[in-house]
Amino acid sequence: MHYLDNAATTPVPEAVAKTMYDVLVNRFGNPSSQYQIGREAKVLVDDSRKVIADALACEASELFFTSCGTESDNWAIEAALWQNRRVGRHIITTAVEHNAVLEPCKWYASQGYEVTYLLPARAGNIAVSQVEQALRPDTALVSMMLVNNETGCVFPVAEVAKLLQSKGSQALLHTDAVQGFLKVPCSPKELGADFLSLSAHKIGGPKGIGALYISPRVPHPRPLLPGGGQERGLRSGTEATAQIAGFAKAVELRVEDLSEKLRHMAEIKAYCRERLLSIPGVVPVGQGAAPHILSVSLAGYPSANIVNELSGQGIYISAGSACHQGKASHVVKALQLDKRTAAGVIRLSFGPDTVKEDIDALYEALLAHKNSRFPML
Ligand code: PLP
């Protein structure tokens, strides 16, 4: 198998699975129970939170577990708009956010909010000047992802935070860092973000667990799930102890020699780019700086066909985001590519275990695909 879709999800290292198994079978207490195994489970949750908070260089008390990145994004938007309900009803976001941000924005638009969607340049980047132009006294929220999941472009979140401060804006800043965490610098304090969303399954953790950083600038956040009082009363529900421990273990593993892992991924990306662009008709899509995501287009060759054919050979790639399930991606649309280029966009994404042989297999398969078919557009 050649797995080249690490932006969709990542393989779970055995050590993470073993940690989770141990929690499920041997350390199954409820963190709210007062007796020994309950107290142990609470320590496990607290320790895990500390591991992740350390990787973000924030306080453990500022980090809340959720069920996924989508939940974190939804909660951040809801909490920011509630906190700033007297500031106004204007939201600034980008046209290339994940649907976990775009759909809640759409819902708020149906409730009377006005949403400004910033369009990326051809290379996929967004400029801080676009935020400056869109900013209004009634802007309650700016939501800008840290790394785009299709182009790998890194957005200027820290510069946006500085802009908001210099303008005296009351807008709160949310960043969806699901693709940025442990790939690019991602400390909410350094970025100046008020909310920052994470998901474990993009970094070798299990699916079904995420986290949201909430800054002290939001001292009394709107609770997402009022109930039994877990997560300091803001996100009730018995803690997913095995998932939480697996998340922390995955972070621990990634943080070990992180710069070496990132260097390796960047090298793989450069190698992949060079090999694929040597195929006649393959063109780059976006100029993302993140080390793990590369998009290219086999112009004129529908990407769904490429993905299907390659999967038959055990090579797993994506036609844009995995969440689109074959539909034209809104990111590709926002890049305003010509029809032939847009049709052939594929995304390759790498992890610490990706090797050059994976890229060579992809190269051979793409070459064969191109030589065996006529372009359909
Ligand atoms: N945000 C981005 C940028 C993503 O890439 C994803 C997943 O693909 C999500 C949010 C959603 O995360 P989850 O799958 O944990 O809900």
Side-chain angles (χ1 to χ4, degrees):
M1 171 164 85
H2 300 285
Y3 186 72
L4 294 165
D5 204 12
N6 287 268
T9 196
T10 50
V12 173
E14 215 173 293
V16 171
K18 279 189 174 151
T19 299
M20 293 179 68
Y21 178 87
D22 179 46
V23 174
L24 285 168
V25 175
N26 302 316
R27 297 191 279 160
F28 59 87
N30 184 327
S32 299
S33 300
Q34 284 176 6
Y35 42 77
Q36 180 70 10
I37 60 166
R39 287 199 302 272
E40 281 169 12
K42 181 166 186 320
V43 169
L44 179 99
V45 171
D46 290 346
D47 289 352
S48 301
R49 195 189 313 273
K50 176 90 173 70
V51 167
I52 303 162
D54 284 351
L56 290 167
C58 72
E59 299 298 323
S61 59
E62 296 163 346
L63 200 62
F64 299 84
F65 286 115
T66 63
S67 71
C68 57
T70 300
E71 183 180 317
S72 301
D73 285 344
N74 273 265
W75 186 12
I77 291 166
E78 196 175 311
L81 294 181
W82 189 80
Q83 167 91 5
N84 269 349
R85 61 200 179 282
R86 290 192 237 303
V87 171
R89 298 187 139 226
H90 178 231
I91 301 169
I92 299 173
T93 189
T94 81
V96 293
E97 296 296 307
H98 191 275
N99 279 332
V101 166
L102 291 179
E103 286 298 319
C105 285
K106 205 160 111 188
W107 187 82
Y108 275 103
S110 77
Q111 300 301 305
Y113 278 76
E114 213 183 311
V115 186
T116 302
Y117 297 96
L118 306 176
L119 272 178
R122 260 295 178 80
N125 296 308
I126 301 269
V128 69
S129 58
Q130 292 175 265
V131 179
E132 186 167 6
Q133 276 162 23
L135 196 63
R136 307 188 326 205
D138 64 338
T139 306
L141 165 69
V142 178
S143 183
M144 175 183 275
M145 67 204 319
L146 186 55
V147 171
N148 182 268
N149 47 302
E150 295 191 37
T151 59
C153 284
V154 184
F155 288 168
V157 176
E159 287 84 345
V160 171
K162 284 187 196 121
L163 171 81
L164 296 181
Q165 205 180 17
S166 74
K167 296 280 176 192
S169 169
Q170 292 189 69
L172 289 163
L173 177 60
H174 165 239
T175 186
D176 172 341
V178 166
Q179 296 289 350
F181 183 45
L182 300 180
K183 312 285 174 29
V184 299
C186 182
S187 161
K189 309 275 183 198
E190 277 176 27
L191 292 170
D194 298 302
F195 298 90
L196 183 144
S197 310
L198 301 177
S199 177
H201 75 100
K202 310 290 185 180
I203 52 135
K207 294 162 190 61
I209 184 77
L212 180 66
Y213 161 85
I214 305 181
S215 94
R217 248 175 41 114
V218 187
H220 304 293
R222 182 189 171 131
L224 180 69
L225 295 178
Q230 292 89 348
E231 299 300 294
R232 295 200 290 138
L234 299 181
R235 202 277 182 191
S236 294
T238 301
E239 296 88 342
T241 47
Q243 252 82 352
I244 289 170
F247 189 177
K249 187 70 189 174
V251 169
E252 249 172 38
L253 293 178
R254 280 282 168 124
V255 163
E256 222 175 82
D257 295 326
L258 180 62
S259 45
E260 174 52 30
K261 291 188 176 97
L262 295 178
R263 196 198 54 72
H264 172 75
M265 285 191 250
E267 194 182 299
I268 289 284
K269 174 174 164 173
Y271 180 71
C272 184
R273 192 172 194 278
E274 192 191 315
R275 286 227 84 182
L276 299 193
L277 294 188
S278 75
I279 301 174
V282 174
V283 293
V285 172
Q287 290 172 14
H292 64 305
I293 299 177
L294 173 70
S295 276
V296 300
S297 170
L298 200 63
Y301 295 81
S303 51
N305 295 355
I306 304 173
V307 171
N308 281 338
E309 186 166 313
L310 266 57
S311 86
Q313 301 169 42
I315 302 170
Y316 300 109
I317 66 165
S318 160
S321 164
C323 308
H324 300 122
Q325 295 168 341
K327 275 188 274 159
S329 120
H330 63 280
V331 178
V332 171
K333 277 191 194 148
L335 293 177
Q336 300 182 17
L337 306 171
D338 64 83
K339 224 172 152 184
R340 289 182 83 247
T341 308
V345 176
I346 52 172
R347 178 190 68 183
L348 304 321
S349 48
F350 319 109
D353 298 330
T354 311
V355 289
K356 285 189 172 167
E357 287 69 33
D358 296 319
I359 307 302
D360 293 340
L362 170 72
Y363 168 82
E364 298 296 341
L366 277 183
L367 200 60
H369 182 84
K370 188 163 180 293
N371 289 340
S372 67
R373 285 159 200 262
F374 293 109
M376 282 176 65
L377 289 171

